[in-house]
């Protein structure tokens, strides 16, 4: 199992929107970047991801899990884009901002710090634990 970070503009798809989908989850659709698509192709059912609000707040706000592996994106008419389905797992007790992540020495190599535009990105196990600690999660879920 692996860890990820998935970015969304809250005005388009927010953490609250994600939670309303319940255990069935929802497509992480509309991604039009090859590297992000390839990251979704690498995701496995049960993988965990931080749900990150990318506009305004710029913070990890929740945790989702992959419930359906890569499949054709229903919003794509060209047939070249794929997505996964994710379901909300839990709120982070407090959001972890991009500024906090950048200020944490152990997170200096995190993709979010070095390639902030990538909408779906891998997270190492050590980074997962560090962000969960910053968020105040005493018993974070593990992949």
């Amino acid at each position: 199992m692996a860890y990820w970070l998935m970015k969304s503009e809250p005005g388009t798809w927010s953490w609250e929107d994600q939670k309303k989908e319940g255990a069935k989850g929802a497509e992480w659709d509309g991604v039009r970047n090859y590297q992000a698509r390839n990251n979704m192709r690498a995701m496995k059912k049960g993988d965990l991801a931080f749900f990150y609000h990318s506009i305004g707040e710029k913070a990890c706000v929740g945790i989702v899990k992959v419930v359906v592996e890569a499949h054709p994106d229903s919003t794509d008419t060209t047939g070249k884009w794929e997505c996964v389905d994710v379901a909300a797992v839990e709120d982070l007790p407090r959001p972890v901002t991009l500024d906090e992540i950048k200020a944490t020495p152990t997170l200096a190599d995190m993709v979010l710090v070095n390639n902030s535009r990538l909408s779906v990105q891998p997270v190492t196990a050590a980074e997962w634990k560090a962000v969960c600690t910053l968020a105040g999660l005493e018993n974070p879920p593990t992949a």
Side-chain angles (χ1 to χ4, degrees), residues 4-139:
W4 306 90
L5 183 143
M6 304 176 84
K7 294 171 142 190
S8 183
E9 296 177 10
T12 302
W13 186 255
S14 71
W15 175 237
E16 292 303 317
D17 294 326
Q18 183 67 53
K19 291 192 302 186
K20 288 177 187 172
E21 294 299 317
K24 71 175 173 54
E27 278 190 347
W28 197 264
D29 59 22
V31 174
R32 300 298 184 262
N33 172 285
Y34 288 104
Q35 189 175 3
R37 181 205 59 193
N38 292 344
N39 285 337
M40 285 193 287
R41 284 179 173 172
M43 291 177 164
K44 300 296 178 205
K45 189 173 181 178
D47 282 0
L48 296 171
F50 290 119
F51 189 107
Y52 182 92
H53 278 166
S54 63
I55 300 290
E57 185 176 17
K58 294 186 181 176
C60 296
V61 295
I63 294 175
V64 295
K65 72 176 174 181
V66 176
V67 294
V68 177
E69 293 182 11
H71 59 85
D73 182 330
S74 68
T75 66
D76 173 37
T77 59
T78 69
K80 65 181 176 181
W81 299 105
E82 297 175 27
C83 65
V84 296
D85 292 12
V86 297
V89 173
E90 66 182 289
D91 297 297
L92 292 181
R94 68 171 202 79
V96 180
T97 68
L98 177 59
D99 288 341
E100 286 179 274
I101 290 169
K102 286 181 174 181
T104 304
T106 58
L107 298 174
D109 293 330
M110 194 169 180
V111 175
L112 183 64
V113 172
N114 298 295
N115 187 357
S116 62
R117 294 186 53 91
L118 184 60
S119 63
V120 178
Q121 51 191 255
V123 172
T124 69
E127 292 164 349
W128 181 264
K129 185 177 179 186
V131 173
C132 286
T133 298
L134 288 170
L137 270 181
E138 292 182 20
N139 297 303

